[in-house]
Every structure is written in C-alpha cells, then in structure tokens.
Amino acid sequence: MVHVKDVLKSMDYGPAPEGNEHVVAWLEAHKAGFGHFIGGKFTDPAAGKSFKVTNPADGKPLARVALGTTEDVDNAVAAASRAFKSWSKLSGHERAKYLYAIARNIQKRDRFLAVLETMDNGKPIRETRDIDIPLVARHFYHHAGWAELLESEFPGYRPVGVCGQVIPWNFPLLMLAWKIAPALAAGNTVVLKPAEQTPLTALAFAEICREVGLPAGVVNIVTGEGDTGAALVAHEGIAKIAFTGSTDVGKIIRTATAGSGKKLSLELGGKSPFIVFDDADLDSAVEGLVDAIWFNQGEVCCAGSRLLVQEGIAEKLYAKVRARMETLRVGSPLDKSTDIGAVVSAEQLERITSLVETGKKEGAEVFQPSISIPGTGTFFAPTLMTGVEPASTVAVVEIFGPVLVAMTFRTPDEAVALANNTRFGLAASIWSENINRSLDVASRIKAGVIWINATNLFDAAAGFGGYRESGYGREGGREGLFEYLIAGEAKPKGKDSAKATLVAAPSATAQVVATDEVDRTAKLYIGGKQARPDGGYSYAVANAAGKQIGLAGLGNRKDIRNAVEAATKAESWGAATAHNRAQILYYLAENLSARAGEFEERLRAMTGASKRAATDEVAAAIRRTFFYAGFADKHDGAVHSTKSRHVTLAMNEPYGIMGVLCPEDAPLLGFVSLVMPALATGNRVIAVPSSRYPLAATDFYQIVDTSDVPAGVLSIVTGNASELAKTLADHDEVSALWNFNGGVDAALVDKASAGNLKPVWNGARDWHGVEAQGREFLRRSTQVKNIWVPYGE
Ligand code: NAI
Ligand code: MG
C-alpha cells in the first residue's frame, strides 16, 4: 500500500507557469520597435538606430529599442527644461495627484509589469510579483505624500531643475521608481536612461505617464547604452545626476561632472557582510542567507555576499547552508515555484563564472548543490565558497551573482574589523540573539544600511545608500528628498558659482622665508599643539593694502598627513555625548568672547575692515558658536515608519575626519561657520584657512588650547590652499570635504576626490546672512545610517 507520507517525501513541484499572453501581445503590438519617450510622445531615434532586447532565460528576442544619441539626449533635455517651468510651479498638491495616479495605475497593471520585468531581466516571478512591483507602487504613494507636504516640511527649498538619471538592470522598474518619484515630488523634471539589458518596463512606465495625463516633458525616457548615459551626464542642461550602477562608472561620472556644479548622488557597488554570531538562531540565519545572496540571483548591490561566521559554529552553519542549497530551485523565471532565475546576460554570466574560477585557483573550497540547472539560458548554480582568505579576489570584489564567500572570526572586534575590511560600505546584516551586541556591532560597521536578524528589507520611508566607495546620497524617505532640492532662492545664472572670489594663492616660491629666521610666524596647529610646518617654510601675509603684516606656516602634504594621524587618534570625539561636545563649544564661544578685542584688531589689520565691521564679525562668530553648541544635542535622527513590527532607526553619524577649506571673506566668521557644525556633529576637522587671510584662524588655536578641545579634534594647516585641498581630497582617511574657499577650484577638488568617492560640498555663502547657519550644515556633516530591528518572537 502507498502511504501518504511516502508520497510527500518523493513529491516534486510540478511546473506552475505564470501566464504571459498579455505581455506577449504587448510586445507583438510594438514589433516595429520602441522609440524614445520625449515630450510626452514616443519618438523615433534621431540617428534611426536601434538594438535588440532579449529574454535571458531562453535567449529569445523580445523587442527592438532605440539607441539614443547625443541628439536624442538634447531633445529630451529640451523637453524636460520646457516642462520644468510649469511643473516646478504647480502646487505640491497638484503634483501629489499625479504621483498618486501613477501609483494607482501601477497597482492596476501589477501582473503585467511583473511578467514583463521577469521576461526582460530573468528574475523569478515570485520576486517581481511580491517584491519589485509592490515596492514600486509604494514609492510613488510615499512620494505623493512628500509632494503634498513639500511646502510645509521643506520651507526655503526649491527643486534643482532637470535631472539626468541612469539606472542599472538588476531592479529595472524599482530603480526607476526610486529615481523618478522623489524627483517629481520635489518639482523637478527628468530624463531617465534605463540599462541597455532591461529597458522594457521603463517604456511601459512611459505609457502609464501618458495614460494618467502627466504633463508632456516631465518624464522623458531615452534608451541606449553607456554612451547614451555619458551624453546625458555631460549635458549642460542637466542640474542633477542620479546614478545607480558599478563603482567604476560611478567614478567616471564623478570625474565627468567635476567642477560643473551639477548635484550628484551615487548608489554603487557593495560587498556586504552577513555576520553570524554563535548565539544566533541558526535556522533563521540560514533563511536570511537565502534572501541575502540568492534573492535576485545575487545581482543585488546590498547582497549579503560575505558570510562572516563565528568560528565555533562555522562547520555547523555551513552544513545547514549546504543542505538548504540542495532545496533551492533554479529554473524558468516565469515558474511560480522558482527560487533562482536567469542571470541578466551572457556577459554577466561570464563574469560570475570567471570569478568563481579565480576563487578556486586562490584555494577556496567551492560547493554547488546537485540540483538541476536549465540547459539553455544564462543560469548559474547557487555557490558557496569556504576557506576564503580575506585578501583574496573573491572576498574583495563584487561578484554580483549567486555566489557566497565565507570566512570565520573569533571575537566581535574581529567581526567588525573583517566587516569593515572593504572599500565599500553599503549594507550589513547581523545575526545574534543578543541585542546589545548587535547594536554595538551595528554602530561600528561603516555602512549605510544595517539589518539586525534580517536582510534585504526595503521601504520608501527609509533612506538607502552607502558609505565610502558604495557612493553617497540617499534614496527614500526625508533624507532622499534632499537630493532633489536646493536651499535658498534661485539666483541668476552664473552668480551661484563657488568660484566667485578667485584670489592668487601663495606658491611655494613666492615670498617664502625659512621659519627659523623669524620666530613670530603663526604656526600650524596639529594634534593639540602648535607645529612648525614640515617643510620649514613660511609665507608673508599681507593686508588688504598689500603691506606685510605677518608670516604664516607653509604647510605641505606631510603636515596634512600628520593632522590626519592626530585626528585618527581622536576618534572618541564622535562617541562622546552630544552634551559633552556642546559644553566644549560653549567654552570655545566664551573664550572667544573674552578675547573679542584681539580678534577685532586682527581682522582690521588683515582685511582693512572698519571697526564696526570687525566688531560685527567677531560678535557674529561668537553667536554662531553658541548656535552650534545649542544644536549639538538636537541634530536628532528618526525612527522611520516602515514595515510592521520593525523599528528603522535613522541615525546621523559623523563622517569621521573632515577637511574644511575656509573662505577668504569673513576670515573669522567663515571659519567658525564651517568648523563648528562639523565639530558639533562629532567630526574631527582639518581646517585650511584661506591663503590670503589666515591669521584670524591661526589666532583661534589659542582659543582651542584653552577650551578643553581634545588633541587632534581640530587641526589648522595654513599654506597654499589649493595644494592642501588636493592633498585632503586625495587622502582616503578624510571622509568628506567642504570647499568654501572661492580661490580653490571646485573642479580640482572634485576630480581629486573621484578616486575615493569622497563627498565634496563646493559652496559659497554670505556669512552674515541667514543661509550661513542652520540644519543644512549639520546634515552635510553627517551621513544617515539606517538600522532595521525587527521585534516579536
Ligand atoms: P554599469 O555601471 O556599466 O551600468 C549601469 C548603467 O550605467 C547602465 O544604464 C549603463 O548603460 C550606464 N553606463 C555605463 N557606462 C556609462 C558611462 N560612462 N556614463 C554614464 N552611464 C553609463 O554596470 P554593468 O556594466 O551593467 O555591470 C558591471 C558590474 O557593475 C556588475 O557586475 C556589478 O558588479 C556592478 N553593478 C552594480 C549595480 C548596483 O546596483 N550597485 C547595478 C549594476 C551593476
Ligand atoms: Mg558597464
């Protein structure tokens, strides 16, 4: 007799294909090819060229789409510029209605979009149906809300203009939503270029825009390859670029936009750690791993691709993982019971395959389950590599496929060190039943998103984005909206530039004297001490009338390196309580006030300012210091409302070590206006005063000396500001750079920091005006880390 339990044992899943007739019919209707979506209409490509889009699961062609040229990009930007005039003036409420209509329409067509996405990308229908498309709708709903609230929640902010958006192929429609929803909510118009592998859902989205009656030109879609993206990035009419994709291209874009004043946000690669402590619930951790690395074929920028496991449980966990891998189903993406679909392209498959080969050669032990893999299409088996050295290729580079590499650690400290041993910093997943330990580790990992006992959770209300070479800027939530807004009134073109005051900086040869000869040289201030410049030279400082009034140290690379070293040792500043930092800032203000007269004299002698003007500047500097002392414990994070039974903690973390290039105008007030907010939020600062008027800043170290500022928290290096700026930009340990020195070329600083993707703020302010202080300075000196903590048994 046949027993039911025996049947259950051997029972296999039958095929459960999702119907795709409606998508096939839609593709058939567009057999002639898709044009670009420009100015509310589908238009033929200017050069008449197109390219083929295929289904990676079977290699069959799906459609032909237009190959965008510079001319197409020009047309699209022109349409977006025209549309901007009226779209940006609509009330938030009017824009909200459009976003809401788009969200509704996406929900109405959810099955169509899920099937189309699956056919275009190769990802399983279960994921497009349950994750991608619902999140797309959620993003438009969420941002319909922001459009409505914009005027009340972001007073004094305005849209940036025309945004150029370039997206990848791994979450085609979701990445479109992450880019277009906030841009439109904030009153911008967009030109978006989807990835060449997966342009189809963007074209279906264009139809939705038309259907809801979105004004022509608000959304433009130009299809094409990397060159098309590059043309968009280079276009003069673009005010902001948002990019998601590889770190390599991120760096190219950073260089291409250097000095252009274009706003830029980059969401790049990752090699995110998945950390399992010995007290973790191992079965949950294994399920977590499935979602971390086998979700979306592992083609996920925040994939938990590095398994770090505590030594004592490593073998046990590996055994469980291997057993679970045997039950994963690789197959037709349209089959509802498929876990792992096709890799996006033959090129990507080749990349994954060759990296796994490299891993083998480097000595990793490679495990793949004995499950069946389709014979045609670009499929890759789920893979686990153990015995991996932390410095080996597969432990370092992003594989972007269903490949997990595993390493062990002994202590929490070692786990943190291993986790941070990467140039990336996108996400991390921490598994432990000990919440104290989990939160401690979360606070020490340098990454923008941390999931505790969870992984790959996303929601429109929480910002997403990286630290370090994973890029900068956030998508989602309030923090993401800032990427599409600028503070202040629109200024006439040309006046907004950071190059407003260009003054010759001292060169290493001009007016240079050996410091030993004159002992009244203002020294550098490094590590809590006055320091002679490493090179031993000073330069003459002249007043406004050209008469020499003193000497300042001519700092060089070595001095900057010393300042960074001192700052590195002062790491505890960021961990001090905000109350503590406030106390020290108050103390600075008090001591500045006690010596107000000296500073007034110095300003007058240096700049030729009137007594009245000098008195005003010192008074304003004292007030500004009080302002940031007051704010030190009020730059709060948030608890986002995301999923049920989760808290999502958005914490404002200091960058760490910041370089600050101070302005020439208002030599004291400008210095204080930049240094104080950065210190208040817990950064250590290396300040470079303007070459021309450095002496008010060098006088300031006497104030620092008497105000309990820990050594290394604030260093002051004078000299050729442009040269010092370049050294600061080049330095990997300097995590952010503010350039308010009109004499330091923004392009130079931008280019020099493209290599390490350091966020740079090139700015200019009227230091006596209201825009010279406030939350923007606090926000720009911090980056948001979102920590997701689920609760409940
Ligand atoms: P990619 O960075 O070249 O492509 C992403 C987008 O950028 C596409 O739309 C592409 O057409 C465009 N693009 C390419 N070159 C450009 C340029 N010079 N200027 C402007 N736009 C340009 O990524 P690709 O080649 O598809 O994948 C290579 C690797 O990048 C993957 O193996 C993976 O490691 C990583 N990647 C990371 C993603 C992420 O979400 N962080 C997404 C896609 C890829
Ligand atoms: Mg590429």
Side-chain angles (χ1 to χ4, degrees):
M1 200 182 118
V2 182
H3 284 283
V4 172
K5 70 177 194 321
D6 296 330
V7 173
L8 284 174
K9 249 186 234 160
S10 65
M11 202 166 69
D12 206 358
Y13 294 90
E18 175 80 23
N20 67 349
E21 311 74 30
H22 47 326
V23 172
V24 171
W26 184 76
L27 291 170
E28 181 65 25
H30 289 95
K31 214 165 60 182
F34 290 89
H36 304 300
F37 183 66
I38 296 175
K41 290 194 283 283
F42 282 94
T43 60
D44 290 336
K49 290 206 178 124
S50 64
F51 63 99
K52 191 170 72 179
V53 179
T54 56
N55 180 342
D58 58 16
K60 294 202 180 118
L62 294 172
R64 287 203 75 84
V65 305
L67 182 64
T69 58
T70 311
E71 203 180 329
D72 297 319
V73 170
D74 280 346
N75 293 338
V77 175
S81 303
R82 281 192 299 274
F84 180 73
K85 292 191 190 81
S86 43
W87 181 253
S88 59
K89 292 202 182 65
L90 283 186
S91 69
H93 177 65
E94 288 302 317
R95 289 199 298 268
K97 284 196 283 190
Y98 285 111
L99 289 167
Y100 186 78
I102 291 173
R104 292 291 291 217
N105 206 301
I106 284 164
Q107 275 186 322
K108 245 169 38 197
R109 298 201 199 182
D110 57 355
R111 216 169 72 87
F112 171 86
L113 292 168
V115 172
L116 179 61
E117 193 80 305
T118 284
M119 290 172 70
D120 200 10
N121 167 279
K123 62 170 78 191
I125 186 72
R126 201 164 44 81
E127 292 177 6
T128 51
R129 185 195 61 199
D130 298 346
I131 298 168
D132 293 60
I133 308 304
L135 275 174
V136 170
R138 163 92 182 110
H139 263 267
F140 281 99
Y141 281 126
H142 179 79
H143 286 92
W146 277 129
E148 187 74 52
L149 302 177
L150 203 72
E151 287 124 35
S152 60
E153 288 300 302
F154 293 88
Y157 280 84
R158 64 193 157 94
V160 184
V162 178
C163 302
Q165 308 181 314
V166 178
I167 57 171
W169 41 260
N170 54 342
F171 293 91
L173 193 61
L174 185 56
M175 289 302 102
L176 174 149
W178 283 23
K179 299 273 180 297
I180 291 186
L184 265 46
N188 304 278
T189 57
V190 306
V191 178
L192 176 132
K193 192 203 82 68
E196 52 271 43
Q197 296 85 350
T198 55
L200 299 180
T201 44
L203 296 165
F205 178 82
E207 290 186 345
I208 291 176
C209 292
R210 221 171 36 177
E211 217 171 288
V212 304
L214 189 72
V218 170
V219 167
N220 303 275
I221 311 273
V222 175
T223 49
E225 300 176 345
D227 288 347
T228 317
L232 184 57
V233 166
H235 202 288
E236 293 233 328
I238 297 282
K240 186 222 154 54
I241 306 284
F243 172 76
T244 299
S246 63
T247 294
D248 288 347
V249 173
K251 288 180 182 177
I252 291 171
I253 292 176
R254 183 80 174 89
T255 309
T257 54
S260 68
K262 284 175 189 162
K263 233 175 126 104
L264 179 63
S265 52
L266 298 170
E267 203 268 275
L268 310 173
K271 190 77 181 176
S272 299
F274 186 102
I275 309 171
V276 185
F277 286 98
D278 58 10
D279 64 349
D281 170 350
L282 292 193
D283 292 322
S284 300
V286 170
E287 285 316 303
L289 258 180
V290 172
D291 288 336
I293 188 67
W294 294 305
F295 164 59
N296 207 41
Q297 298 72 242
E299 298 164 327
V300 182
C301 50
C302 52
S305 54
R306 278 191 300 149
L307 170 60
L308 310 179
V309 49
Q310 199 153 15
E311 209 171 62
I313 53 156
E315 285 312 321
K316 189 168 162 197
L317 182 69
Y318 295 162
K320 280 180 185 282
V321 174
R322 289 189 190 107
R324 179 66 176 87
M325 287 167 78
E326 294 289 355
T327 68
L328 291 171
R329 296 169 56 84
V330 181
S332 167
L334 276 178
D335 191 320
K336 283 178 275 217
S337 52
T338 288
D339 297 312
I340 300 178
V343 164
V344 74
S345 64
E347 192 189 356
Q348 189 62 18
L349 181 66
E350 164 55 29
R351 194 183 136 81
I352 298 166
T353 311
S354 91
L355 277 165
V356 170
E357 282 310 310
T358 305
K360 271 186 202 157
K361 280 186 208 129
E362 288 178 342
E365 192 186 313
V366 177
F367 171 83
Q368 290 179 329
S370 54
I371 56 181
S372 71
I373 307 288
T376 54
T378 47
F379 292 89
F380 195 85
T383 304
L384 168 68
M385 292 201 253
T386 49
V388 170
E389 290 298 322
S392 65
T393 311
V394 289
V396 172
V397 307
E398 182 175 47
I399 298 176
F400 229 63
V403 181
L404 178 65
V405 301
M407 281 159 276
T408 59
F409 65 85
R410 293 198 185 117
T411 62
D413 283 348
E414 222 177 279
V416 170
L418 263 179
N420 286 335
N421 181 24
T422 167
R423 62 196 177 100
F424 299 114
L426 193 49
S429 179
I430 301 166
W431 294 75
S432 166
E433 291 296 289
N434 179 340
I435 189 70
N436 293 355
R437 174 197 274 173
S438 302
L439 287 172
D440 176 50
V441 170
S443 76
R444 292 159 67 197
I445 289 181
K446 296 190 174 106
V449 187
I450 314 257
W451 295 292
I452 292 176
N453 293 328
T455 189
N456 276 343
L457 298 173
F458 311 99
D459 189 77
F464 182 89
Y467 282 29
R468 307 203 276 193
E469 290 192 23
S470 290
Y472 47 76
R474 295 289 179 267
E475 296 188 299
R478 184 186 290 269
E479 57 254 47
L481 222 55
F482 281 114
E483 300 296 330
Y484 289 96
L485 291 166
I486 21 179
E489 291 301 307
K491 290 187 186 125
K493 241 191 160 154
K495 292 239 172 99
D496 204 351
S497 141
K499 292 177 205 149
T501 51
L502 208 79
V503 172
S507 76
T509 49
Q511 299 173 295
V512 167
V513 273
T515 27
D516 325 340
E517 291 169 24
V518 192
D519 222 42
R520 273 178 306 149
T521 299
K523 309 240 175 15
L524 313 181
Y525 188 70
I526 295 174
K529 286 198 279 291
Q530 298 187 31
R532 282 172 189 278
D534 168 74
Y537 291 105
S538 302
Y539 69 97
V541 176
N543 68 9
K547 184 168 164 282
Q548 183 175 327
I549 52 162
L551 294 163
L554 192 69
N556 64 16
R557 280 175 170 274
K558 182 78 194 335
D559 296 307
I560 294 288
R561 283 206 294 268
N562 291 342
V564 173
E565 211 179 297
T568 306
K569 290 187 191 135
E571 200 183 351
S572 59
W573 179 249
T577 63
H579 170 76
N580 245 322
R581 289 196 295 271
Q583 293 301 302
I584 289 177
L585 261 59
Y586 280 125
Y587 203 7
L588 281 167
E590 240 177 69
N591 285 329
L592 181 56
S593 153
R595 300 171 79 145
E598 287 166 47
F599 278 88
E600 285 164 23
E601 283 313 307
R602 178 62 96 182
L603 288 173
R604 295 191 66 191
M606 242 183 357
T607 64
S610 68
K611 169 130 183 51
R612 173 79 189 273
T615 311
D616 280 355
E617 182 170 344
V618 175
I622 295 166
R623 271 202 312 277
R624 194 140 294 161
T625 308
F626 268 104
F627 178 87
Y628 287 112
F631 231 136
D633 60 356
K634 294 169 193 69
H635 183 48
D636 292 331
V639 182
H640 291 309
S641 304
T642 55
K643 297 190 181 299
S644 61
R645 304 178 77 72
H646 276 80
V647 280
T648 307
L649 309 169
M651 319 240 307
N652 294 320
E653 289 198 343
Y655 275 105
I657 302 173
M658 284 181 61
V660 171
L661 306 169
C662 304
E664 189 178 298
D665 47 330
L668 175 67
L669 180 58
F671 169 88
V672 162
S673 301
L674 295 167
V675 168
M676 295 308 157
L679 291 179
T681 50
N683 293 282
R684 291 144 277 159
V685 174
I686 299 168
V688 174
S690 77
S691 303
R692 186 167 176 194
Y693 294 138
L695 301 180
T698 53
D699 291 347
F700 199 83
Y701 58 55
Q702 298 168 20
I703 307 283
V704 178
D705 260 346
T706 51
S707 306
D708 294 347
V709 179
V713 166
L714 173 61
S715 290
I716 302 168
V717 180
T718 52
N720 180 325
S722 292
E723 280 173 31
L724 298 172
K726 182 158 185 321
T727 307
L728 281 168
D730 277 335
H731 204 302
D732 285 348
E733 300 304 315
V734 176
S735 303
L737 190 57
W738 288 357
N739 175 20
F740 281 78
N741 183 328
V744 176
D745 187 8
L748 169 126
V749 182
D750 280 348
K751 278 205 186 100
S753 34
N756 48 33
L757 289 168
K758 178 175 308 174
V760 173
W761 184 17
N762 287 302
R765 285 291 182 279
D766 167 5
W767 297 108
H768 289 277
V770 284
E771 81 271 27
Q773 72 177 23
R775 282 183 185 274
E776 188 177 19
F777 291 83
L778 299 163
R779 192 167 57 73
R780 298 260 206 169
S781 63
T782 49
Q783 48 193 340
V784 182
K785 176 188 272 182
N786 276 287
I787 306 179
W788 294 67
V789 191
Y791 56 86
E793 289 294 318

